[in-house]
Amino acid sequence: MSLAGVQVKPLVKHYDDRGFFMELLREDDAIFGKFGQASISLSYPGVIKAFHYHRHQDDIWYFPAGHAQVVLHDMRTDSPTLGQTAVYYMGEDHPYLLFIPRGVAHGYRVLGEKPATIVYFTNEVYDPSAPDEYRIAYDDPAIGFDWRTRNR
C-alpha cells in the first residue's frame, strides 16, 4: 500500500576497500522542495513515537542506524488515499529516504535489540512559539494500527 504523494528514494552505497560512500539528499532530487532544517534523534528498542502530522511542513526521513517500522496514515481530505495506512520498514540494512507530505500522520516503532537513529529533513524551521505539530495517540482507534509483532 502506498499513499498519494509519499515517495521513496533508494540510497546506493558505493563500496571499495576503504569502506563506502553514499549520497543522502541533493537539491536536485525530486523529493527535495526547500531546506528548513535537519535534525537527528535516537530512540531505544521498543519505543513507539506516534502519531503526529503537520499542516505546512513536509518531512524526509532516514534511519542510518537500527531498524524501525514506520507507519503513515493519510489525513488529507482532498487525497485519493484518505483514511488509508501504509507501513514501511526502514533502517541500516535497507537504506532509503522516505518523503512524508504534510497532512500525513506519521510515527515509528524501534525494532530489534538496539536503538534506532533517525535523521530527518524538513522544509520549514521549527518555531516553538507556533509549532506546526499536531499529536494523535499511537493507539488512536480512528487509525486502528496494531503495533504488536505477530509470529507468522
Side-chain angles (χ1 to χ4, degrees):
M1 159 62 57
S2 183
L3 303 180
V6 173
Q7 298 177 58
V8 171
K9 177 193 173 189
L11 299 175
V12 178
K13 291 183 178 180
H14 303 278
Y15 288 94
D16 65 20
D17 56 323
R18 301 165 296 172
F20 75 85
F21 169 81
M22 181 176 69
E23 288 185 349
L24 286 181
L25 185 62
R26 301 165 47 108
E27 72 175 13
D28 60 352
D29 279 337
I31 65 172
F32 184 78
K34 75 169 193 170
F35 180 76
Q37 70 181 58
S39 303
I40 186 169
S41 177
L42 180 138
S43 298
Y44 296 117
V47 166
I48 296 173
K49 287 193 166 183
F51 287 100
H52 76 272
Y53 67 97
H54 312 283
R55 292 187 178 139
H56 306 287
Q57 175 180 296
D58 301 319
D59 288 7
I60 299 172
W61 283 13
Y62 170 58
F63 285 86
H67 299 91
Q69 177 186 46
V70 175
V71 179
L72 307 181
H73 183 77
D74 196 344
M75 301 181 58
R76 300 167 294 173
T77 56
D78 62 344
S79 172
T81 54
L82 171 66
Q84 295 180 20
T85 301
V87 180
Y88 298 83
Y89 293 93
M90 301 182 71
E92 61 193 55
D93 294 330
H94 192 193
Y96 61 91
L97 299 181
L98 182 65
F99 175 82
I100 305 167
R102 64 197 78 179
V104 173
H106 44 282
Y108 66 88
R109 174 176 64 128
V110 178
L111 301 173
E113 305 278 324
K114 66 181 199 176
T117 301
I118 181 175
V119 174
Y120 56 99
F121 306 91
T122 61
N123 66 334
E124 300 292 336
V125 175
Y126 179 75
D127 179 359
S129 67
D132 179 28
E133 229 170 78
Y134 304 90
R135 303 251 171 225
I136 305 167
Y138 79 97
D139 60 352
D140 186 285
I143 295 175
F145 187 76
D146 184 355
W147 291 93
R148 295 175 292 176
T149 297
R150 303 228 183 252
N151 292 327
R152 294 179 175 85

